[in-house]
Structures are given as C-alpha cells and as structure tokens.
Amino acid sequence: MEFSIKSGSPEKQRSACVVVGVFEPRKLTLSAELLDNAARNYISDIIRRGDLEGKAGTTLLLHNVPGTLCDRVLLVGLGKEKEFREKEYSDAIRCAVKTLNETGAFDGTVFLTEIAVKKRNAAWRIRQATIVAQEAVYRFDQFKSKKDEVRRPLRKLTFAVERRTELAAAEEALAQGFAIAEGMALAKDLGNLPGNVCTPTYLAETAQKIAQQYSADSKIDCQILERADMETLGMHSLLSVAKGSHQPPKLIVLHYKGGKNSEKPLVLVGKGITFDSGGISLKPGEGMDEMKYDMCGAASVLGTIKAVAQMKLPINLTVIVAASENMPGGAASKPGDIVTSMSGQTIEILNTDAEGRLVLCDALTYAERFEPETVIDVATLTGACVVALGHVATGLFANNDGLARELAQAGEEAHDRAWQMPLWDDYQDLLKSPFADMANIGGRWGGSISAACFLSRFTKKFEWAHLDIAGTAWKSGADKGATGRPVPLLTHYLLKRAGKLH
Ligand code: BES
Ligand code: MN
Ligand code: ZN
C-alpha cells in the first residue's frame, strides 16, 4: 500500500473516502465537526437519530455527504474520550483500514491521526498508524491455490496532520513506520512459513538477500558459518542440537555499518530453531506444528536489521542467528550427554528439548569478538514464560538495570511491551550438575528464569539483555500466525539510540 501525509480540512479532500472519528456518546471529533459544518449538520443529524453511538469497533459509511468533495465519509467509533489511549488509537486505525478495504474505495484520507493520544505526539501517531495499517492488510496466502481476493483493495492511504508545521516530522515518522512494518512483515512471513520451507538454509538465504537489497549503500554484509566453521570454533553446544537432523545448521552474521567506524556495534542474537520436535525428549504431538515458530527470534532480528537498513540509521548493528532444526534422528543428542561449549564451559544435556539455550550460548560467545556495546538476544525460549506472562508481555531479563529500563520503555512506547523478570544469583543453583559445569535445565519452577540464568553464564563480558518471546511471537487458535513482535520494540529502542525519534 502507498502512504502519504497531508494537512488540510476534511471537507476539501477529493478522496474516495474521508475517515473521521466519533467519541462515545455521540461526540464528534474536531475533523468530524468540520465536515458536519460544511454539510450543514447532515452528520450530527444522523448521529442524533442513533445510527452511531461512538462505541469502539463500530463504523458508519455515508455516501454523497453534502458540502464535501469526497465520495464517501467513514465514521469510526472511538469509545470514551477519556479512555482513548494507545491501544484504542491503534484499534480505531485498524478498524478504519479493514472497513476501507471492504468498501470498494481505492484510497482514503484518514483524519483519526489528528486525535490526541495521551503522552504521544503527532509523529508517534503517524508512525503507529502506518504500522497498524500495514498489519491490517497483511495476508499470508502463498500456499493457498485460491486466494481470498478483495474486490477492490485499498491502494493508497493519506494521513492527516493538523498543522503544516508538523508535515516534515510526520513524513519522517511515516517513513519510519513503513520500514518497521516491512520488518514486521518479513518476521511474520518467516514465522508463518512451514518448517519444510523455512530451514536454516532458507534463513541464511534470506539474510543474504537482505544484504544484497541494501548493498547499494554498501553498508551491510552477510557471512554464513557452516558446520565445519563451527567445529573449528568449538561450538559443540550448538552443533549438538543439529546432530539429529538432516538439515545443516547455519550461523548467520549480518553487519550493518551506519555509524562511525570507531563506534562499537549493538548486537542482536536470534534463536533460529526452524522446527523444534524436542529431539529425543520428544514433545507431545498435540500442537507440535506450532514449533515451526521456534525461529521467531531469528525472524525478528532479521526484520529489525532490514528496517534499520531501510531507515539508514546512523548506528552499527550486528545480527547473529543461530539456525538449526531440533530433531530426534539416530545421531541426536541423548539425555545425559555432555558437550563443551565454545566458551569452554561444559553442559550436561538433561533434556534435549531445552535446545534454545544450547544454540544461543555459542552464538553469545561468538558475539564477544565484535566487542559489542550491548547484546540483546531474542528467543522463543520457554513455555514457562508463557505461563508467567501470557501472550501480552515479552519476558525481559538483563545483567544491567539501565538496559532493562531502556528496553521496557521502548516496549511501552511502541506498544510492544516487555516485563522485567529477576535474574538473581539465588536462581543459579538450579543449574547445578554433578558431572558437568552446568545442566541445561533447572527444573519445573521458575523455568524462564533458570533458562535466562543459563544464558547469563555466557554473557559476562558485555552488557546484555534477553527477551523471551515464547508468548508473544505468535498467536494460536483459528487465526493463528506470527505477530512480528518484538520488531516494534527493537526498532523503537534503536531509533531512540540513534536520536531519530521526535
Ligand atoms: N521452543 C520451546 C519453548 C516454547 C514452548 C515456546 C512452548 C513456545 C511455546 C523450547 O525449546 C522448549 O522446548 N523449552 C522447554 C524447556 C524445558 C525442557 C526446560 C519448555 O519450555 O518446556
Ligand atoms: Mn525445545
Ligand atoms: Zn525451542
């Protein structure tokens, strides 16, 4: 979809559809009032008759409204004005775009972006509207032989800003929102692809494509480490996970250099288990298909670097993806096996289903060589995190409270929230092993914390945070699918670090 920004009054828009909001009960927003004045109370009369109360999620489509230059007016219910916050704003935009997409209008001019949202400015509203609009029209139907065609799909959206002085900032926010939405779409596509297509090799090819796509600025390059390279490096923990599979593992490294050469890179590490059967500690059959999503951490860091390259942010960003299948082949790791990680620490594998930490620990050790400013890993790591936080918040762990605060704040502002969990030393005892330096599981209780504790043993040399996205990376049920989270959180954090938020 195409996007643009405009400032001007709603009654003067030559558009297939002008979209304005109505608060509950029956209170017109400013732009709705302007339309109503031009239409000599045509809209307020309709509302007084009770056709639209203003409840969130309701809409009313009007044709040939007198005094206006547009073909249609779409009224969107916003709920109560004093309860109108980020979520309500996003819901209203989503509702507007979905409705527009069904009306037969090719283009729409949306005035909802002029409505005040507590603590958020016009740039935020435009960025968020762009992201939400792209999300609303996202489809993943490449495996359907018959696609659900939209009759006359929406092609172009224009977002309104109140003042001309806001135009420049709004244009920049629009470009940012568009880049973030593209990053999310990539993350969703990769997540939604089945495991027989999205293999470690496929992830590696995707990373190479990203590097090629932005190579015009020659700021990005990609390197793939093969099994033999990993053997040389001593990544026996990562390699142990790949042993039961016919798919070769890949360690994918992307460097984006938008900052000064002297600046240390920020490093993002993604868990890329393209299918997690559990290995010899096989998972139960029910719902096992969802373990194709076990590479959503990888997908999100790839989506993030794509967005960053697209926005040309003045930062240095490195992305590392540890990609493997976790399968129960004859050569697979067995419970009780002991492996030596790249760090030299030994690990007793008590459960082959705790494979995420086994691939991540070597990727984290590998990150040391880039002398990172900060390292953030993203992983669908534990079912226990879903028990703790459900599907709303991502689990956030860090060995530095400042970093944890920054990430939590970024999540808050991007409405892609994370909640900090403890990483106290008291939990480290859970990982004791009589035979090796540590076990790869810490027992039933506090499972997301012992997993984070495991990772913390490989991140002593840098500032580090861990995002457990097991509950937030995808939705189950009838409309199941990847969410693209936490691309909004990560890109917001990076935008802030780059000083590019207004
Ligand atoms: N990929 C799973 C975590 C997961 C489970 C994500 C359910 C989303 C939904 C991970 O590899 C795993 O299997 N973790 C185990 C760890 C346990 C064996 C200590 C788990 O959470 O059950
Ligand atoms: Mn597992
Ligand atoms: Zn897993």
Side-chain angles (χ1 to χ4, degrees):
M1 198 156 48
E2 229 182 277
F3 291 90
S4 62
I5 304 282
K6 212 178 224 178
S7 83
S9 29
E11 73 279 10
K12 297 200 181 114
Q13 303 302 316
R14 289 183 192 282
S15 165
C17 190
V18 163
V19 183
V20 294
V22 178
F23 283 116
E24 192 184 352
R26 306 178 196 183
K27 178 171 185 282
L28 299 185
T29 52
L30 217 61
S31 44
E33 233 167 63
L34 287 175
L35 274 183
D36 190 45
N37 291 344
R40 296 174 183 271
N41 302 332
Y42 181 83
I43 295 173
S44 46
D45 282 347
I46 287 176
I47 288 194
R48 199 168 324 109
R49 265 184 249 136
D51 288 31
L52 187 84
E53 282 294 325
K55 278 202 172 51
T58 60
T59 58
L60 184 64
L61 185 67
L62 308 173
H63 290 266
N64 306 320
V65 175
T68 66
L69 299 178
C70 55
D71 303 339
R72 311 168 181 78
V73 168
L74 178 66
L75 303 177
V76 176
L78 304 172
K80 300 212 170 72
E81 187 166 12
K82 61 176 190 310
E83 287 163 16
F84 193 74
R85 290 168 210 277
E86 293 149 20
K87 182 178 177 299
E88 289 72 19
Y89 174 78
S90 303
D91 288 348
I93 299 279
R94 188 174 306 111
C95 175
V97 174
K98 289 210 156 147
T99 312
L100 273 178
N101 207 19
E102 285 157 13
T103 55
F106 275 126
D107 69 288
T109 306
V110 177
F111 282 81
L112 304 178
T113 45
E114 293 189 358
I115 306 167
V117 180
K118 229 177 240 151
K119 293 203 283 189
R120 306 290 175 239
N121 59 17
W124 183 92
R125 298 195 303 260
I126 296 291
R127 196 166 46 239
Q128 190 64 14
T130 313
I131 294 170
V132 172
Q134 285 287 68
E135 258 192 311
V137 297
Y138 174 85
R139 295 263 174 319
F140 185 79
D141 54 10
Q142 61 184 93
F143 295 98
K144 293 268 193 198
S145 23
K146 266 216 193 91
K147 326 249 181 237
D148 300 338
E149 297 289 352
V150 177
R151 202 170 28 99
R152 284 158 60 98
L154 185 62
R155 294 271 161 76
K156 191 168 183 301
L157 265 187
T158 303
F159 294 133
V161 292
E162 234 178 313
R163 284 175 286 273
R164 301 190 61 81
T165 51
E166 293 171 327
L167 280 173
E171 292 283 359
E172 192 180 1
L174 174 65
Q176 291 171 350
F178 195 79
I180 294 167
E182 296 244 292
M184 289 174 76
L186 172 66
K188 285 190 209 178
D189 283 346
L190 289 172
N192 289 332
L193 281 170
N196 59 333
V197 175
C198 184
T199 57
T201 304
Y202 187 92
L203 286 180
E205 286 165 2
T206 304
Q208 280 164 327
K209 274 202 197 116
I210 295 172
Q212 272 162 21
Q213 192 183 347
Y214 297 96
S215 65
D217 317 309
S218 72
K219 273 184 183 167
I220 185 161
D221 72 319
C222 178
Q223 202 192 345
I224 310 293
L225 276 68
E226 306 291 340
R227 195 195 305 265
D229 305 313
M230 294 187 250
E231 259 154 24
T232 310
L233 287 162
M235 296 183 162
H236 301 295
S237 182
L238 192 162
L239 288 168
S240 77
V241 174
K243 275 167 52 188
S245 163
H246 290 297
Q247 293 294 335
K250 306 276 173 180
L251 191 82
I252 303 162
V253 185
L254 278 165
H255 296 290
Y256 166 82
K257 296 207 172 69
K260 292 193 195 80
N261 265 335
S262 56
E263 260 170 59
K264 292 178 167 181
L266 296 156
V267 178
L268 300 177
V269 178
K271 170 179 173 182
I273 299 295
T274 57
F275 189 75
D276 180 11
S277 69
I280 295 299
S281 314
L282 195 65
K283 286 184 181 294
E286 198 189 339
M288 207 207 266
D289 62 291
E290 294 198 355
M291 282 301 126
K292 72 171 184 179
Y293 293 115
D294 211 16
M295 33 55 67
C296 282
S300 75
V301 298
L302 291 174
T304 298
I305 200 168
K306 182 181 158 83
V308 164
Q310 169 107 41
M311 292 188 278
K312 298 192 168 77
L313 291 191
I315 57 168
N316 293 333
L317 178 67
T318 293
V319 156
I320 305 174
V321 167
S324 172
E325 268 188 346
N326 185 24
M327 295 291 280
S333 288
K334 306 166 291 297
D337 284 2
I338 295 179
V339 296
T340 305
S341 65
M342 184 181 173
S343 72
Q345 300 177 88
T346 58
I347 304 160
E348 185 184 15
I349 301 174
L350 291 178
N351 189 319
T352 65
D353 197 11
E355 84 298 338
R357 59 198 83 178
L358 295 176
V359 299
L360 287 170
C361 70
D362 281 342
L364 288 164
T365 301
Y366 190 71
E368 282 175 13
R369 67 184 52 208
F370 305 123
E371 293 175 35
E373 168 80 29
T374 298
V375 178
I376 302 165
D377 78 71
V378 189
T380 48
L381 202 63
T382 64
C385 190
V386 193
V387 174
L389 298 172
H391 300 289
V392 176
T394 290
L396 163 61
F397 301 82
N399 64 7
N400 176 297
D401 277 332
L403 175 60
R405 262 196 302 277
E406 252 182 285
L407 288 169
Q409 180 82 28
E412 193 73 52
E413 288 172 12
H415 203 70
D416 177 12
R417 288 172 294 184
W419 193 256
Q420 191 179 2
M421 306 272 279
L423 197 61
W424 298 321
D425 277 343
D426 311 51
Y427 290 100
Q428 291 284 353
D429 286 346
L430 294 169
L431 296 171
K432 272 189 181 150
S433 155
F435 302 123
D437 297 341
M438 70 193 87
N440 80 324
I441 53 171
R444 193 168 146 79
W445 310 118
S448 68
I449 304 173
S450 54
C453 283
F454 181 96
L455 297 178
S456 76
R457 296 175 179 218
F458 300 84
T459 60
K460 300 255 188 248
K461 298 199 177 138
F462 41 72
E463 190 180 284
W464 159 76
H466 157 59
L467 297 172
D468 193 334
I469 57 166
T472 51
W474 78 86
K475 279 188 302 202
S476 311
D479 59 339
K480 66 165 130 186
T483 59
R485 291 178 68 182
V487 172
L489 182 159
L490 292 170
T491 47
H492 200 90
Y493 164 76
L494 295 170
L495 273 168
K496 225 171 179 178
R497 292 208 62 139
K500 292 288 176 191
L501 282 184
H502 300 288

